[in-house]
Structure formats: structure tokens, C-alpha cells
């Protein structure tokens, strides 16, 4: 195992085609906040700034004075980044493959951009968040607008080869002892997770904005809103769902009670979703909500004097541009570019929800009310005949098209924004940072260097590969010579070790084992990967459990 970690260490210090830098000297700070605007091409940021100016919301974004470079965010085997592998790299230092959550990627020798050790495949990799909690006794928190086990937050506090397996990921996130988890995803919380929250003194608030606002306890808190993701900021009902800025303020208020400091990740999760949809007003307003959250974090950091903030995206998305073929050249005015979008009072999914409860005869008037768009006859038909328009007149044939797609088509026909695709793009993304001593990464840097910078800023001195070896040792090595078996028939796979009259039981995706039925906290999560039939456990599990 030691040999593998040496190779892994070599891998992470290899830096490619990079001319920017993570400064040699980074004064360690007490608190580190990383803020991810997911799937945000630079065009979105420019549009958000002009939108603010046009709507007299101020001439600048909060990030403007802190923009200091660009980041290349590649996968281990592909130049275009993806949420799961990119955040994995920010958190662990190792680029990964699409779908991977904080694990070492399977080698793809024909396409690998970084040298990989095939023997390390699937190895869970310790994250900066885990390092902060386990090595530094800092508080840890995640604030998102997606459902909590979605790729970016998952990368901070869980490990798996498939980002879509919410069951295995959500359980690890609960058992990873986060001090703060704010975001969406009530439908994913299980009875087992609730029982663990009870036992570990974690307050769980579900769809309770009032209790969230009043909470001032010293314990851990999960405040989860909505079944899955929370609504877009433009569609949000403030009485029901706090903004990303409010959640960020609350998270900092809670986390800063720890005298050892904290590590916080804040994600503007749905800028990416809006870009996938080519929904310009959602891209712009979600980014402004994210930028407001940065403003809140900055306010704390400047006062506190011991906090660094790093702000960036994880990949481009959809090639958003101001101006497109046939529209919006250099003679188009600010109003010509930004008036129409400024009239949109709902995102496309928000408009879809409204139309789904609007009778066909009223669609024209209601659409105008929220968008200031006078629908042409054929546009009106494209909406009321959409296949999933819920109160479509069933005596009329459907046009086979999706309602949201047609809403977006109509909204985009009145603006001059361009989209080259509905998927991720490979140009580098923006980088902004604040450090009380001005020690920031600058120029063109890679996702690997972002991890190096945060590692330094946190003042860690145990290399992450070493921590990975301690937290996630293969059961075949840890339990060599012992009598054990793996049972994969239950809800979660279980490892049972028998020694004399004692039985150690270790469930996967948990942090609580038991000896002869008596629970023992392991201090970190266990991972089981079926691809190689391997349990990854604390290297000192026998000592810890007294077996
Ligand atoms: Zn992403």
C-alpha cells in the first residue's frame, strides 16, 4: 500500500501546462471558505454585471475586486470538466473521471491527461473537509441549492465511484459529522440518517424556515428545504426558503463558534442547471444570488481577519455569450441587450409551474404578466399543445414538445444571448480569492493547484495521500490473517470479523461499527466498492474497536 501512495503523491505534485501560481508562501488562516458557482462560463458573469447595472442594482459584482486568474478544470482523461471529478480534484488534489466522487480514478491509458497508477483505482481519497475535521478539530459545513448528495457537496464528504448513487453518498454525508448542512433534498433523508442525527446531537430541520432563522444552538444542524433542489432564486418564496446568502450567513454564524476555526463550502449549484437549459435569466439571477453569498462571506472575512475565501467555477457550460449570430452586435445598446431579460420575473421552470395551473385561454395574458412578452399565435400554440402541459385540451393533438423547452425558445427569441450547446464546455473558468495577507493564487492555474493552495491556506501538514491511507485502508490489508466475511445482501454491505468470542460488525457508508452489538464511533466513514469487492476502513480499526 505504501508504494501506491508514493505514486499517488507523485501524481498530485505533477503540474501540467501551468504558468500561474499557487504562491510559495501562504500564511495559514483559521477559516477557509470555498465557493463554487457550478457550471459558470465567463459570459454569465459579464451578463450578471451588465444586468445589475441596467437594473440599477450597482455597477459591480462583489467578486470584481478579487478576480485574480483563471482555472483549467480537466478530468483525469478528458479536457472538459464535470462537477464530480472537478470538485474531487479541488478537494483531494487528484483529477478524476466523470461520475467519480472523491476516489482515485480508474486508469484510461489512451486518454489519461495525468499519469495514473492502475493499482490505486477506486481508492477513496481524503478531502480537505475531512482533513479539517479529523486533523484540525475544525467545524465543517456545506451550503448548496441542489439536493445535498449532488456531485459538488458529495465530493466534500463522501466517496464513491458513481455520483448517481444517492443512497450510498447521502449516508456517508450524514455519518461524516458535518456541523452545518444547508440545502435541498428532504426526500433523500432516511430513517437511519435521522436516528444517527439523534444519537450524534444533530438538529434536523425539514422545510422549516422559521426554525432555521431562529436556530442559535451550539450543536450540529442540518436544515433541508424541498424534496430535492431548492427553487431558483428568481422563483423562490422567501417565507419558505432562505436565499443562498442567508444560508451562508447562518452557516458562518454557526461554524465560527468553534475556536479552532472552520472549513465551509458554498455552492451556487443551479447556475449550471440554468445553463444546461439555456435559460438566460436563470443563469444571470442565480449568479447574482451566488455573488451576494460571496458578499456575505467577504463581510465576515474582512472583519474576522483570519479567513481566506476562494471563489471559482468547476467547468464552463453551454458557451453562454452576450450577442449571437444575427443579433446583438457592437451597435446594440445596453437596453437592446438587457431590457427584455430584465422583464422576466420567472425562470423557465418557474414559468412552467405557473402555466401548468393556467387554463389555455389565459396563457397569453399570464405569460405577458411574467415576461412582458406578447405571444404570437404560433408561440401560444407551441405552449398549449406541449405534451406535458398539464391542463392541455386533450381533444387537441399534442405537438410532442416539452413545455419548458418551448418557454425557453420564446424567451430566447426576444434576447440576444447565445448558447453553443446544452452541456459542459472546456474553456477555463474564473478565479477570485480573498486572503487577509493577500496571499492568493494568480494567473492561469489548474484544478490541482487549487487544492495545493487550499491545503496551504488551511495550514495542514499531513499530506492528503497519507491521510487517505489512514482513513481508507483496504480490508484485505487491515484484516489480513483474520476471519472475516462480506455480506452484500442487506440494505448496505456489511463486513463481519470474528476473533475468539468477539465479533466486529462494520456497515458500509457509515462511521459507526459495533463489537458484540456495542456501537463504536470510528471517526471517519467506511466505503465499500463493489467493482473490486473492497471495504475501505480506518487502518487502525482493530485498535479503535479493541478487537
Ligand atoms: Zn459542475
Amino acid at each position: 500500500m505504501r508504494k501506491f501512495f508514493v505514486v499517488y503523491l507523485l501524481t498530485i505534485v505533477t503540474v501540467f501546462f501551468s504558468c500561474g501560481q499557487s504562491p510559495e508562501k501562504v500564511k495559514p488562516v483559521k477559516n477557509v471558505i470555498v465557493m463554487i458557482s457550478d457550471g459558470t462560463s465567463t459570459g454569465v458573469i459579464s451578463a450578471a454585471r451588465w444586468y445589475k447595472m441596467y437594473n440599477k442594482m450597482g455597477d459591480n459584482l462583489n467578486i470584481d475586486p478579487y478576480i485574480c486568474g483563471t482555472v483549467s478544470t480537466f478530468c483525469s482523461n478528458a479536457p472538459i470538466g464535470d462537477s464530480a471529478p472537478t470538485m474531487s480534484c479541488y478537494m483531494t488534489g487528484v483529477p478524476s473521471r466523470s461520475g467519480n466522487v472523491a476516489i482515485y480514478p480508474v486508469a484510461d491509458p489512451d486518454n489519461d491527461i495525468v499519469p495514473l497508477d492502475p493499482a490505486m483505482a477506486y481508492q477513496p481519497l481524503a478531502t480537505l473537509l475531512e482533513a479539517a475535521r479529523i486533523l484540525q478539530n475544525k467545524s465543517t459545513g456545506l451550503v448548496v441549492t441542489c439536493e445535498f448528495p449532488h456531485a459538488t457537496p458529495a465530493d466534500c464528504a463522501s466517496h464513491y465511484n458513481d455520483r448517481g448513487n444517492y443512497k450510498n453518498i447521502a449516508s456517508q454525508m450524514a455519518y461524516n459529522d458535518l456541523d452545518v448542512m444547508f440545502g435541498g433534498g428532504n426526500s433523500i433523508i432516511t430513517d437511519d440518517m435521522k436516528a444517527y442525527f439523534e444519537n450524534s446531537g444533530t438538529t434536523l430541520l425539514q422545510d422549516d424556515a422559521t426554525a432555521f432563522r431562529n436556530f442559535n444552538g451550539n450543536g450540529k444542524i442540518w436544515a433541508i428545504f424541498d424534496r430535492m433542489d431548492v427553487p431558483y432564486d428568481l422563483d423562490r418564496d422567501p417565507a419558505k426558503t432562505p436565499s443562498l446568502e442567508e444560508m451562508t450567513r447562518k452557516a458562518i454564524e454557526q461554524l465560527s463558534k468553534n475556536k479552532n476555526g472552520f472549513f465551509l463550502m458554498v455552492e451556487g449549484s443551479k447556475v449550471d442547471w440554468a445553463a444546461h437549459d439555456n435559460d438566460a435569466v436563470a443563469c444571470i439571477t442565480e449568479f447574482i444570488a451566488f455573488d451576494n453569498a460571496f458578499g456575505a462571506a467577504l463581510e465576515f472575512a474582512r472583519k474576522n481577519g483570519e479567513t481566506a475565501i476562494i471563489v471559482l467555477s468547476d467547468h464552463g457550460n453551454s458557451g453562454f455569450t452576450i450577442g449571437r449570430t444575427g443579433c446583438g452586435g457592437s451597435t446594440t445598446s445596453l437596453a437592446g441587450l438587457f431590457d427584455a431579460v430584465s422583464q422576466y420575473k420567472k425562470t423557465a421552470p418557474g414559468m412552467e409551474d405557473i402555466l401548468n395551473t393556467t387554463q389555455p385561454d389565459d396563457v397569453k395574458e399570464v405569460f405577458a404578466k411574467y415576461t412582458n412578452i406578447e405571444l404570437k399565435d404560433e408561440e401560444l400554440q407551441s405552449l398549449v399543445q406541449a405534451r406535458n402541459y398539464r391542463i392541455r385540451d386533450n381533444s387537441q393533438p399534442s405537438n410532442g414538445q416539452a413545455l419548458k423547452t418551448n418557454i425557453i425558445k420564446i424567451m430566447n427569441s426576444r434576447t440576444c444571448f447565445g448558447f453553443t450547446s446544452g452541456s459542459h464546455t472546456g474553456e477555463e473558468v474564473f478565479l477570485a480569492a480573498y486572503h487577509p495577507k493577500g496571499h492568493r493564487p494568480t494567473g492561469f492555474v489548474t484544478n490541482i493547484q487549487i487544492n495545493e493552495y487550499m491545503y496551504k491556506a488551511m495550514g495542514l501538514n499531513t499530506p492528503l495521500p497519507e491521510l487517505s491511507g489512514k482513513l481508507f485502508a483496504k480490508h484485505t490489508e487491515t484484516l489480513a490473517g483474520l476471519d472475516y466475511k462480506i455480506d452484500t445482501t442487506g440494505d448496505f454491505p456489511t463486513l463481519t470479523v470474528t476473533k475468539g468470542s468477539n465479533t466486529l460488525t462494520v456497515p458500509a457508508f457509515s462511521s459507526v461499527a459495533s463489537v458484540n452489538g456495542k456501537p463504536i464511533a470510528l471517526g471517519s466513514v467506511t466505503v465499500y466498492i463493489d467493482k473490486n469487492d473492497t471495504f475501505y476502513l480506518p487502518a487502525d480499526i482493530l485498535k479503535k474497536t479493541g478487537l
Side-chain angles (χ1 to χ4, degrees):
M1 179 55 96
R2 177 156 300 151
K3 182 187 81 174
F4 299 149
F5 279 103
V6 170
V7 175
Y8 157 28
L9 196 62
L10 287 175
T11 303
I12 68 160
V13 297
T14 311
V15 173
F16 302 84
F17 55 78
S18 179
C19 52
Q21 53 185 327
S22 163
E24 272 308 303
K25 279 212 177 104
V26 183
K27 187 179 187 309
V29 289
K30 194 165 145 186
N31 314 307
V32 170
I33 303 173
V34 55
M35 304 190 66
I36 308 288
S37 180
D38 202 298
T40 304
S41 297
T42 315
V44 172
I45 300 168
S46 313
R49 192 182 295 108
W50 286 118
Y51 179 98
K52 275 186 81 172
M53 189 185 289
Y54 182 70
N55 289 289
K56 305 206 169 10
M57 296 158 71
D59 291 348
N60 279 100
L61 296 166
N62 292 310
I63 62 163
D64 283 351
Y66 304 95
I67 293 175
C68 53
T70 59
V71 192
S72 174
T73 66
F74 46 89
C75 297
S76 57
N77 65 344
I80 298 180
D82 190 17
S83 299
T86 301
M87 190 63 181
S88 277
C89 186
Y90 291 158
M91 294 304 291
T92 71
V94 181
S96 209
R97 289 176 66 161
S98 188
N100 286 175
V101 174
I103 63 163
Y104 194 96
V106 173
D108 178 6
D110 288 344
N111 300 305
D112 279 335
I113 294 171
V114 291
L116 292 178
D117 177 0
M120 285 286 292
Y122 304 116
Q123 169 69 43
L125 303 176
T127 69
L128 291 173
L129 179 144
E130 289 170 322
R133 179 176 67 74
I134 294 166
L135 300 175
Q136 301 180 304
N137 288 315
K138 288 181 192 288
S139 289
T140 58
L142 301 173
V143 176
V144 300
T145 52
C146 55
E147 57 271 23
F148 69 88
H150 202 264
T152 303
D155 280 327
C156 299
S158 71
H159 311 268
Y160 205 57
N161 55 304
D162 171 15
R163 65 178 274 185
N165 193 322
Y166 277 6
K167 184 181 161 204
N168 295 353
I169 289 170
S171 179
Q172 291 179 71
M173 293 178 75
Y175 279 93
N176 221 326
D177 292 329
L178 298 164
D179 294 276
V180 163
M181 176 74 247
F182 297 156
N186 276 311
S187 63
I188 303 159
I189 294 175
T190 62
D191 288 345
D192 180 65
M193 291 167 64
K194 284 181 186 168
Y196 183 69
F197 290 150
E198 283 245 6
N199 293 334
S200 61
T202 303
T203 302
L204 171 64
L205 304 176
Q206 297 189 273
D207 283 322
D208 194 341
T210 308
F212 164 83
R213 286 172 174 138
N214 292 335
F215 186 83
N216 189 27
N218 284 318
K220 302 194 241 324
I221 173 174
W222 279 50
I224 304 296
F225 302 91
D226 282 273
R227 281 190 74 258
M228 292 293 272
D229 52 302
V230 305
Y232 280 111
D233 196 65
L234 194 60
D235 306 329
R236 186 175 57 85
D237 175 354
K240 284 190 187 157
T241 319
S243 66
L244 188 64
E245 176 188 345
E246 187 180 358
M247 291 196 285
T248 302
R249 283 185 193 280
K250 189 75 173 181
I252 291 172
E253 187 185 306
Q254 286 303 119
L255 296 170
S256 58
K257 291 175 181 174
N258 183 340
K259 64 176 184 351
N260 298 320
F262 65 83
F263 178 89
L264 169 65
M265 191 286 290
V266 177
E267 183 193 30
S269 318
K270 290 174 64 173
V271 183
D272 177 75
W273 302 17
H276 279 299
D277 277 353
N278 291 359
D279 184 343
V281 74
C283 285
I284 291 170
T285 52
E286 280 300 287
F287 186 80
I288 291 172
F290 172 82
D291 185 62
N292 290 341
F294 169 71
L298 181 70
E299 194 184 302
F300 169 80
R302 294 182 75 100
K303 252 188 242 157
N304 169 267
E306 299 177 285
T307 302
I309 314 174
I310 185 149
V311 194
L312 68 175
S313 186
D314 55 350
H315 49 78
N317 193 336
S318 299
F320 185 106
T321 52
I322 304 170
R324 61 173 157 83
T325 305
C327 178
S330 303
T331 54
T332 310
S333 67
L334 181 59
L337 290 171
F338 285 91
D339 188 67
V341 73
S342 299
Q343 308 295 328
Y344 299 169
K345 302 305 173 210
K346 293 285 172 193
T347 69
M351 199 63 233
E352 183 184 30
D353 286 345
I354 291 169
L355 292 190
N356 270 327
T357 56
T358 301
Q359 292 301 322
D361 287 348
D362 300 329
V363 164
K364 194 169 176 156
E365 188 191 330
V366 168
F367 203 88
K369 178 179 162 196
Y370 288 102
T371 62
N372 204 31
I373 289 176
E374 268 305 301
L375 288 174
K376 296 172 193 155
D377 286 347
E378 65 271 21
E379 289 173 334
L380 178 61
Q381 289 311 305
S382 80
L383 299 177
V384 298
Q385 289 176 5
R387 64 173 150 77
N388 57 344
Y389 171 43
R390 274 192 215 136
I391 40 181
R392 178 165 61 82
D393 176 356
N394 280 323
S395 65
Q396 301 291 318
S398 137
N399 58 19
Q401 294 157 3
L403 180 57
K404 189 173 76 176
T405 308
N406 287 345
I407 293 170
I408 290 167
K409 218 182 267 175
I410 294 165
M411 285 169 126
N412 284 349
S413 71
R414 306 301 199 275
T415 64
C416 286
F417 302 114
F419 295 93
T420 56
S421 78
S423 50
H424 297 174
T425 52
E427 74 280 9
E428 62 260 31
V429 296
F430 80 104
L431 170 65
Y434 170 82
H435 182 286
K437 296 278 179 232
H439 300 164
R440 305 184 297 169
T442 51
F444 170 78
V445 298
T446 67
N447 39 5
I448 301 170
Q449 287 175 306
I450 294 297
N451 174 267
E452 289 167 8
Y453 173 78
M454 289 196 283
Y455 179 88
K456 287 183 194 168
M458 288 168 70
L460 286 162
N461 43 35
T462 302
L464 291 178
E466 197 182 315
L467 183 61
S468 300
K470 284 182 183 159
L471 303 184
F472 307 112
K474 284 182 170 178
H475 79 271
T476 47
E477 292 169 9
T478 313
L479 306 176
L482 291 177
D483 181 15
Y484 61 78
K485 67 173 199 297
I486 292 173
D487 178 3
T488 57
T489 58
D491 212 18
F492 286 119
T494 308
L495 173 73
T496 310
V497 191
T498 314
K499 196 176 168 194
S501 59
N502 293 322
T503 305
L504 165 66
T505 310
V506 188
F509 315 117
S510 171
S511 60
V512 183
S514 63
V515 174
N516 304 328
K518 183 175 166 267
I520 295 174
L522 296 175
S524 57
V525 292
T526 58
V527 180
Y528 172 77
I529 303 282
D530 60 359
K531 303 276 183 197
N532 59 0
D533 192 26
T534 300
F535 254 86
Y536 294 91
L537 313 159
D540 62 352
I541 190 163
L542 295 178
K543 201 172 125 202
K544 247 178 194 143
T545 57
L547 197 73

